[in-house]
Amino acid sequence: MTKKRWWGIGVAIVLVGGLLVAGGGIGLSLIPFPGKQDVARPECGKLPSRSEVREALSQHRDLAARLERVGKGVSVKVEAPCGDQADEALIRIVYHTKEEPDAVSSILADHSFGVPVELIER
């Protein structure tokens, strides 16, 4: 093959690889993106009811308070990610700084609310 043809093939491979990484394909889990959560939550239709999540949060107020003490930007709330019409919820932990998600994850590694938790950067 000619040099021109090899050059074209090389450029095509780089472009396709870049699109896969940027578009969520190969390598996405290796690159941290702001606002991207590390752990997948159950999809809508498989989340517990709002009342179950509220009860879990009320039973674990000490855990919620401990998480909120991690930093000024951390808040723990019951949220309905599937829209207000659905009777499904989870516990959403919002953070603001780069240090907060590591501290939150460290606490959650040893403690649980017993319902799905979503960690989101704001």
Side-chain angles (χ1 to χ4, degrees):
M1 279 194 217
T2 66
K3 279 187 175 183
K4 198 173 195 179
R5 187 174 194 109
W6 279 110
W7 180 253
I9 292 171
V11 168
I13 290 171
V14 169
L15 287 174
V16 169
L19 288 173
L20 285 173
V21 170
I26 299 171
L28 179 63
S29 62
L30 303 176
I31 301 172
F33 288 102
K36 179 106 175 113
Q37 64 183 57
D38 297 328
V39 180
R41 66 169 164 84
E43 61 189 49
C44 294
K46 296 184 179 179
L47 291 170
S49 70
R50 288 183 197 192
S51 60
E52 286 178 81
V53 176
R54 283 189 196 114
E55 179 67 23
L57 184 57
S58 71
Q59 289 178 354
H60 296 90
R61 285 305 312 161
D62 56 330
L63 175 56
R66 183 175 173 196
L67 291 167
E68 289 176 340
R69 285 193 302 268
V70 162
K72 286 183 181 180
V74 178
S75 65
V76 180
K77 297 179 182 176
V78 174
E79 293 288 335
C82 302
D84 290 335
Q85 302 302 326
D87 181 35
E88 298 178 316
L90 52 71
I91 293 177
R92 180 171 288 160
I93 302 171
V94 177
Y95 67 92
H96 295 280
T97 69
K98 292 180 182 178
E99 296 78 23
E100 291 170 343
D102 289 338
V104 167
S105 295
S106 176
I107 292 169
L108 292 176
D110 296 325
H111 301 84
S112 171
F113 288 101
V115 295
V117 172
E118 181 174 57
L119 187 58
I120 300 289
E121 180 182 19
R122 296 281 167 143

